[in-house]
Structure formats: C-alpha cells, structure tokens
Amino acid sequence: IPERRHSGVEEFRLARVAQDHHLNGAEGRHVIGCDEAVDRTRNPIEEGHHAHPICTGSEPGLSRARLVPNPFRVLAAAMPALQVVGNPYGTGIHGQALTYGELSRRVDAIAARLVKEGVAPEQPVGICMERSFEMVAAMLGVLKAGGTYIPLDPAYPEARLSFIFEDSGATIVLSRTAQLPTLPKRDGLVIVDLDEMRADPVDAAGAVSLHPSDSRRLGFVIYTSGSTGRPKGVGIEHRSVAALAHWTRRELDEEDLSGVLASSSICFDLSVFEILVPLMLGGRVVLVDNALALAELPREAGVRLINSVPSVMERVLQLEGTDWTVRTFTMAGEFLSTQLVDDLYAKTGAERVFDLYGASEDTTHSTIVLREPGKPATVGKPMANSQLYILDRRLRPVPVGVAG
C-alpha cells in the first residue's frame, strides 16, 4: 500500500476519537441485552416455550440513542479533509474522490430540500439512481431529514418499481436526470432531480437536527424477493444499524476500514455494512459498479476490506490481473466452502476470512466465525448484543448438543 494510505490511517485514528465519543457517549448509554433482543425479533419460541439461548453475544458500550447521520456529522466537523468516498473506476467519475466535508455539504443540501418538500419522520423517500457519490449523499440526506429511504434499482422492470412505490407509500423520490425515464408514471409523485439541485443549490444552513430519542425510527426499507417471489419490504431502525456499527468497530480495525469495497446494490442489505457503517466509523468507501471491477482497480485504490457473497468471489478469483491489497474478507449470504476459504487465503494474501450468516430482518448479519485454512465450516457465534437459538423442525428449542 502506498505511503499516503498509511497517513490516511493516521487521520482515521484522529477521526475515531471524535466518533467514539458520539457513538458511545455517556448520555443515553444502554446495552441491548438478551431479553430486549428477543422482544424485538419476536422469536417464535417465546410463544409457549421458555428456553435459554444456546449462545449469547453480549457486549457493553452500545448507545441505543444514536442515529446513523450523527456520527457522520461529528466526523465531518472534526476531520473535513479526510477522504470518505472514492470511485477510481466507473463511468463519468473515474478517479474522483470526496472528503467528509464535501459529502456532508451534499447531504445537508438534500436534507434541506426534503424538509422543504415536507418530509415527515419515517416518511418513505425513494432513491432511484446509478451508483455515484450522489447516491451515497441521498442515503444520508434522507436519514438526516428524518425520512426512511426506499432503494430502487433503475434496472428493475417498471412493474416491480410500481409495486414498491405502491407498497411503501413513497410519494417522493430522489433521482438523476439520466434515470428519470425509468421512473413509473404516478399521480402526485414528487421527483427531486439531484443534477438540477447541484446546478441550483438550496440554502442548507441549519436544515436538520435529529434527536437521540428517535433511535427507534425506521431508517430504510429493503425489498427482498420473499419466499413467494413477491417483493417483501423489511424495515430497519437506526438503532439496529448502530448495533452493527458497534460490532464492526470491535471486530475490525482502522486498517480494514480505511478501504471498504462498496460493490453491492443499495437494494441489497450488504450495502448497509459497506456504505453506512464505514461512514459512521470514520472509514473510507471505495465505490464501484460491482465486485468484478476489482480486476481493473489500481493498487492505489487501497481496498483493504471486501464484503461479498461466495459465488461472486469465486468469479472474481477467476479474473486475471487483479492487484490484491485486501486484508480482510467478510463473506455472507451463502454457504462458504472450505475450498473457497483456502483459495481466498492463498490467492489474495488476506489475513482473515470471516464467515457471517444472517437475514435482512436482523440487519445483515447474525452470526460470525473466523474461518481458518483447511478447517470445516461452522455457523459460529452470535454477533454482540444478540442471541442464537437452535430449533427443531417444529421451531421448538433443542437441548445443547442436539442438532437442529
């Protein structure tokens, strides 16, 4: 890694001092304990069964009162010149980068416009645009305005886009000029073109200030295919993202977060770990169109952490010319074979390969294990401040040592 990347890590350490105080501040400090985790997820074994979790991941220091935009705001004020988002590969934005200060100004402008449009707390706001700096700013802008963002892929069929608009109740959407033709025709739909906004910026001074008591507010709704093939919206609260960020800060370090590859669609829950979490922790996001872009990334891109699904990484490993700088893999979403683990260590020079399982409803990840070369797969242990139950086919808890 070039020397300038190491200096970036030093900036990261300084930024984390400010971030630590805000994410884990003394006021409102509270640990999400075991009972609370069960209450929130409504575990099926609660009805008629009284069982202890097979394994508990409890860790102190998590403040529930923190909202996603607040740690980012503190970092932007403390270290405005620290690079936060880079896109060294991509149509129209090749080689560009944004600092925390620059991104913060874009976020404030979007939040101010949404407030002007009358966006209320938890009001759904669609985001339909290609992968770009504006997309990242839109995510944070909706959250800072108090709204709930609804990710929409411009490549979706019109029928799917129409269903999501109807089901979510979104009456306002953030988009860009090139994507406007893809939006379904809907009466009363307010379209905010971010390209027009940049040409005619609004006054964002003192636009928005979220309150700590709102940590249970919905941050976003991700539509999955659902078991029936019909899109199903999964709502995630701010405090759940804060819990994921808390675990990330404990498990990963500043070197990992100094170059997080953001390759997943924002319609996919892995994007929360790739984009929102690094922005809350003083990290740096390397924004690309998809993971296959790794083969064309220059070494100076400084990718240190890759979060992806096994089937995608199998394809990436087959590409020629990849200049690997990755230090840590976090693999999720599919079964991770021992062969792929061995290949990741041998072909990339990575130091760690984490195997994670979880559902969108549980904010991306639920369990984790550090995989070792040649060792068999296991589910691992629950993430911090969560519980793991082993159930039989009838969703009844099984004794310790019994398969479920």
Side-chain angles (χ1 to χ4, degrees), residues 20-30 61-66 212:
D20 278 347
H21 175 74
H22 199 80
L23 185 64
N24 269 350
E27 65 276 15
R29 182 185 296 271
H30 181 80
L62 174 62
S63 172
R64 296 167 57 200
R66 302 309 178 195

Side-chain angles (χ1 to χ4, degrees), residues 290 292 309-320 340:
N290 55 64
L292 299 182
V309 297
S311 58
V312 170
M313 289 316 302
E314 287 176 348
R315 293 179 62 191
V316 171
L317 289 177
Q318 295 172 2
L319 300 175
E320 297 182 358
L340 181 55

Side-chain angles (χ1 to χ4, degrees), residues 304 326-329 345 348-353 370-371:
R304 304 297 277 157
V326 65
R327 180 178 185 239
T328 301
F329 285 96
Y345 278 117
T348 72
E351 298 176 16
R352 296 184 297 178
V353 177
L370 177 62
R371 296 287 296 275

Side-chain angles (χ1 to χ4, degrees), residues 81-320:
L82 180 63
Q83 188 182 119
V84 60
V85 183
N87 191 323
Y89 171 81
T91 303
I93 46 176
H94 182 81
Q96 294 185 9
L98 278 185
T99 65
Y100 270 90
E102 292 167 339
L103 180 58
S104 180
R105 286 189 288 274
R106 296 192 188 189
V107 169
D108 286 346
I110 293 171
R113 175 62 180 271
L114 292 175
V115 169
K116 184 178 179 180
E117 295 289 347
V119 169
E122 293 193 321
Q123 179 175 336
V125 177
I127 298 178
C128 186
M129 64 188 72
E130 84 292 350
R131 299 178 67 75
S132 60
F133 298 145
E134 282 69 25
M135 180 195 74
V136 177
M139 295 165 68
L140 285 169
V142 174
L143 295 175
K144 188 167 186 179
T148 299
Y149 77 76
I150 312 295
L152 300 158
D153 192 328
Y156 280 166
E158 184 177 351
R160 183 178 175 93
L161 289 175
S162 296
F163 173 84
I164 294 176
F165 271 109
E166 183 70 28
D167 189 70
S168 68
T171 57
I172 183 170
V173 60
L174 301 175
S175 191
R176 301 188 68 187
T177 303
Q179 281 74 53
L180 296 185
T182 68
L183 296 174
K185 304 298 186 292
R186 295 182 60 83
D187 293 338
L189 180 63
V190 176
I191 300 174
V192 178
D193 186 338
L194 297 191
D195 291 325
E196 288 186 359
M197 272 190 57
R198 293 197 66 189
D200 184 22
V202 299
D203 181 11
V208 183
S209 178
L210 293 177
H211 302 289
S213 60
D214 294 326
S215 64
R216 292 174 182 263
R217 177 179 293 170
L218 276 182
F220 51 90
V221 176
I222 290 180
Y223 276 80
T224 67
S225 61
S227 58
T228 63
R230 183 182 179 90
K232 177 186 64 174
V234 177
I236 302 297
E237 299 174 347
H238 282 255
R239 62 179 183 150
S240 296
V241 182
L244 181 61
H246 175 78
W247 169 84
T248 302
R249 190 184 56 185
R250 291 291 182 262
E251 201 69 47
L252 306 177
D253 61 23
E254 56 265 25
E255 186 64 36
D256 293 319
L257 295 176
S258 68
V260 179
L261 186 73
S263 61
S264 301
S265 166
I266 63 170
C267 300
F268 188 32
D269 59 358
L270 288 187
S271 64
V272 177
F273 183 78
E274 295 174 353
I275 297 176
L276 294 182
V277 168
L279 295 181
M280 295 173 69
L281 298 177
R284 174 176 159 272
V285 174
V286 182
L287 188 66
V288 295
D289 294 334
N290 55 64
L292 299 182
L294 271 168
E296 301 183 39
L297 284 180
R299 187 175 183 82
E300 288 74 17
V303 174
R304 304 297 277 157
L305 172 66
I306 294 178
N307 178 56
S308 189
V309 297
S311 58
V312 170
M313 289 316 302
E314 287 176 348
R315 293 179 62 191
V316 171
L317 289 177
Q318 295 172 2
L319 300 175
E320 297 182 358

Side-chain angles (χ1 to χ4, degrees), residues 38 42-54 387-392 394-398:
V38 173
R42 297 292 298 170
N43 192 289
I45 68 171
E46 288 183 284
E47 304 298 334
H49 297 280
H50 300 282
H52 295 290
I54 198 76
Q387 294 173 312
L388 175 64
Y389 289 86
I390 306 298
L391 311 177
D392 63 18
R394 297 182 180 180
L395 300 184
R396 298 175 302 188
V398 299

